[in-house]
Amino acid sequence: LQSKLAQVAMRQEDIAAVTQCMDELALAALHLGPHWRVQPFGGVANGFGMQGSDLDATCYVEGMDASYAPVATQEMRSQLLPLLYANPRFKVVDQIWTA
């Protein structure tokens, strides 16, 4: 079983790619302001990621009051999303604006 898991486990280059992607996402989020943060979730974040796993990430304003959520959503749609689409290193697969 361990040898099968080792065959599909994330390699060092996969981990490096995730790290670089998170760094680039954080840099893009800074265009929205200094309190914006990016946080990964899903398999890559909880250690269950495998070779070829996608990277799920969320963007948020640190310490944000709930009443700011509609404004934050609009900022992401109008400012952050165009940056991601313009960057050839990113592929936006899905967008979930409320949870």
Side-chain angles (χ1 to χ4, degrees):
L1 178 63
Q2 287 183 341
S3 67
K4 293 289 184 189
L5 289 174
Q7 290 175 359
V8 297
M10 291 182 75
R11 300 166 301 211
Q12 287 301 323
E13 57 264 26
D14 298 321
I15 295 167
V18 166
T19 300
Q20 184 177 13
C21 185
M22 288 302 301
D23 290 346
E24 288 189 39
L25 282 171
L27 186 61
L30 280 177
H31 287 284
L32 300 176
H35 299 292
W36 280 88
R37 302 290 180 260
V38 178
Q39 184 69 40
F41 66 94
V44 170
N46 66 24
F48 287 105
M50 299 181 295
Q51 292 177 24
S53 289
D54 66 340
L55 172 61
D56 301 305
T58 188
C59 300
Y60 64 96
V61 177
E62 191 172 49
M64 178 183 80
D65 183 78
S67 64
Y68 186 72
V71 175
T73 300
Q74 183 57 35
E75 288 178 359
M76 284 189 291
R77 283 182 169 167
S78 66
Q79 297 176 44
L80 182 61
L81 197 55
L83 290 173
L84 298 181
Y85 277 121
N87 187 331
R89 296 175 53 91
F90 286 105
K91 179 180 180 184
V92 178
V93 176
D94 201 0
Q95 302 169 38
I96 302 171
W97 297 106
T98 58

